Amino acid sequence: MKYGQYSDNDLKTFEQWPFRCPSWDPMPDGKKNVVILGCSHTYGVGLEPNETWAHIVSQHNTKQLRYWNLGQPGISPEGCVRILYSCEKVINPNIIIVCWPDISRRERLTNEVALNLLGKDESLKYEDNETDMNNFLKSVFFLEKYAEKNSCETFHCFADWYKDFRDERLRPRLLETHTLKNCWPYWNSVDARDFHPEPSRARDGMHYGIDNHKRFAALFLERFGPKLK
């Protein structure tokens, strides 16, 4: 059986670990490993595995690179970093791509279990834009420290937010022109003049659709494709 471009063997990864990527048991030899981190938009809720921006990007330079989509629905920036650190001894990535979730999400440790707090969680009413930003910058710091320790390249982008984030040190590795949310529909006077009265949606009716994912992947590769090697 095939599910998108994934085989029965690959589906075992979905059953054992909640990730949309091939099985890493055993880990294949050769090639550099690329880890892709993010929330439901990177996981691709409402889309087939081969319709996501992460999958489209994963078709780039496959002679040298092997990609692992570790996106998780509902995850916080802190959760992305925790997944990165937990995969160190298994995948040992050479390149890290992170599509940051909304910074208002938080991770709370309760009874030794990490819980992601989403927008309607009662406890989030005590936070504000400043604490959200500081919490997000903490996640960026720990991700970059991981990359420094393990000699990784990092590339940063955003699912639906970025306007208040400016870091000159990360600018060469930051897609700040578009997010997955605002990249489609787009218009120019030369080759993109179609009128789109409705947004592109995934099959669940909530998440961004195939048009957003295709456009976002194209923008990401246009910006960083030559550096993915």
Side-chain angles (χ1 to χ4, degrees), residues 5-222:
Q5 295 186 12
Y6 293 80
S7 66
D8 280 336
N9 185 55
D10 294 333
L11 289 175
K12 293 179 182 178
T13 303
F14 305 157
E15 297 169 359
Q16 296 174 359
W17 310 102
F19 301 119
R20 269 186 157 177
C21 64
S23 174
W24 53 70
D25 184 18
M27 172 62 69
D29 293 327
K31 299 186 180 181
K32 293 181 178 179
N33 288 316
V34 183
V35 160
I36 303 177
L37 303 166
C39 61
S40 55
H41 299 297
T42 296
Y43 180 89
V45 171
L47 299 173
E48 295 286 339
N50 61 343
E51 294 174 338
T52 68
W53 75 268
H55 176 80
I56 298 170
V57 168
S58 75
Q59 304 310 294
H60 177 78
N61 192 15
T62 55
K63 290 184 178 180
Q64 293 180 286
L65 304 177
R66 184 188 299 107
Y67 297 78
W68 307 91
N69 182 357
L70 303 186
Q72 282 287 280
I75 206 165
S76 63
E78 295 159 300
C80 290
V81 174
R82 183 163 50 84
I83 286 177
L84 173 64
Y85 276 79
S86 66
C87 80
E88 178 177 4
K89 293 184 179 180
V90 179
I91 298 176
N92 188 25
N94 306 96
I95 297 174
I96 302 163
I97 300 172
V98 56
C99 185
W100 291 107
D102 194 305
I103 65 169
S104 65
R105 294 180 180 179
R106 299 296 183 93
E107 190 172 79
R108 170 178 288 177
L109 295 176
T110 303
N111 294 327
E112 300 182 356
V113 176
L115 301 176
N116 281 310
L117 307 180
L118 305 183
K120 295 182 179 180
D121 192 277
E122 179 71 12
S123 61
L124 290 178
K125 69 181 181 181
Y126 300 107
E127 309 295 345
D128 55 33
N129 288 336
E130 183 177 1
T131 61
D132 283 344
M133 177 60 74
N134 289 335
N135 192 61
F136 167 68
L137 293 176
K138 177 190 68 176
S139 297
V140 174
F141 172 82
F142 281 116
L143 185 141
E144 287 295 315
K145 282 299 178 182
Y146 176 99
E148 179 183 329
K149 179 175 75 76
N150 292 283
S151 300
C152 303
E153 291 284 344
T154 62
F155 301 95
H156 301 257
C157 54
F158 296 91
D160 51 15
W161 167 95
Y162 74 96
K163 63 180 180 179
D164 298 321
F165 178 56
R166 293 291 182 271
D167 189 323
E168 293 300 324
R169 297 167 299 177
L170 295 183
R171 186 174 293 274
R173 295 174 279 122
L174 173 65
L175 182 63
E176 57 182 348
T177 55
H178 291 86
T179 65
L180 184 61
K181 178 181 181 179
N182 70 17
C183 71
W184 194 93
Y186 72 104
W187 183 94
N188 65 50
S189 60
V190 179
D191 59 357
R193 305 183 64 179
D194 294 335
F195 177 63
H196 301 279
E198 298 292 335
S200 176
R201 295 295 185 194
R203 294 174 185 86
D204 67 342
M206 298 175 57
H207 288 81
Y208 308 127
I210 298 174
D211 296 299
N212 292 68
H213 282 257
K214 287 182 177 179
R215 170 75 171 152
F216 189 68
L219 289 166
F220 185 92
L221 290 174
E222 180 182 310

